[in-house]
Amino acid sequence: MVDSDGNCGFRAIAGLLDLGKNDWVQVRRDLLHELNNHKDEYVILYGSHERVEKLTHILLYFEDSPCFDCWMTMPDMGHLIASFYNVVLYHLSLQQCLTFIHLRSPLVTLADRREIAIGFVNGNHFVHMNAFLEAGHPVLFIAVLCQVHHHPCALEWENAYVSRVQQFKDNIGPSVATRETFDVVDID
């Protein structure tokens, strides 16, 4: 169980990585380290210095019960989590289901791969979802920004999941978002 205190997203990641439930501060520090060490790459990925600064503001909050503007944000944090911890991260919610893959490392064998799943429920709480992962499970769509902004050495990550992504496509409804960003269309 993950405490509902505004740090729940960071607590859930800590738990999924076998850290202590109170190691949410370390997760914030690790993600801040990832963001700062690869800042130029993340400015390109997120599209602006302002977005990187907003994420920095979120990650710099190390107190209990943060206000809403310092909660974990998805899909933004998914890229940082997958890359820093070298995991495949599945993010599930009623509104959005995505897979995040490492942006800078070559594919590792299936036996060496670590997959973790986080769910966003009730519009305000992150929970562990690993209990629902079974061998060969369908794979959520790979985040578009992972596909576009990965290093050449990381290309095979996406290819390793093609058939399992197709399984997922065959089972979802039309109201589930399968991209991080959307084009705004003026219908006037």
Side-chain angles (χ1 to χ4, degrees), residues 51-168:
R51 187 67 198 141
V52 169
E53 292 307 315
K54 174 64 178 164
L55 294 174
T56 300
H57 169 77
I58 291 169
L59 293 169
L60 281 171
Y61 193 89
F62 299 109
E63 304 296 325
D64 289 328
S65 303
C67 59
F68 179 74
D69 70 335
C70 289
W71 289 6
M72 177 182 282
T73 57
M74 286 293 192
D76 297 326
M77 297 291 175
H79 302 288
L80 301 172
I81 294 164
S83 292
F84 184 83
Y85 295 111
N86 200 19
V87 297
V88 175
L89 171 67
Y90 303 112
H91 170 253
L92 300 104
S93 74
L94 289 176
Q95 298 79 27
Q96 190 174 53
C97 297
L98 294 169
T99 298
F100 298 90
I101 53 179
H102 197 288
L103 297 171
R104 293 179 308 281
S105 75
L107 180 68
V108 297
T109 66
L110 189 56
D112 292 330
R113 225 171 283 164
R114 183 148 189 204
E115 298 179 347
I116 62 174
I118 188 170
F120 188 67
V121 298
N122 301 328
N124 66 357
H125 188 57
F126 286 97
V127 296
H128 303 166
M129 299 291 291
N130 274 19
F132 300 101
L133 297 181
E134 296 181 8
H137 63 82
V139 169
L140 312 170
F141 290 95
I142 295 174
V144 172
L145 294 179
C146 291
Q147 295 170 335
V148 174
H149 295 287
H150 62 76
H151 284 226
C153 70
L155 176 64
E156 291 303 312
W157 279 100
E158 183 180 349
N159 295 338
Y161 289 96
V162 169
S163 64
R164 290 171 60 196
V165 168
Q166 186 58 50
Q167 283 179 307
F168 181 72

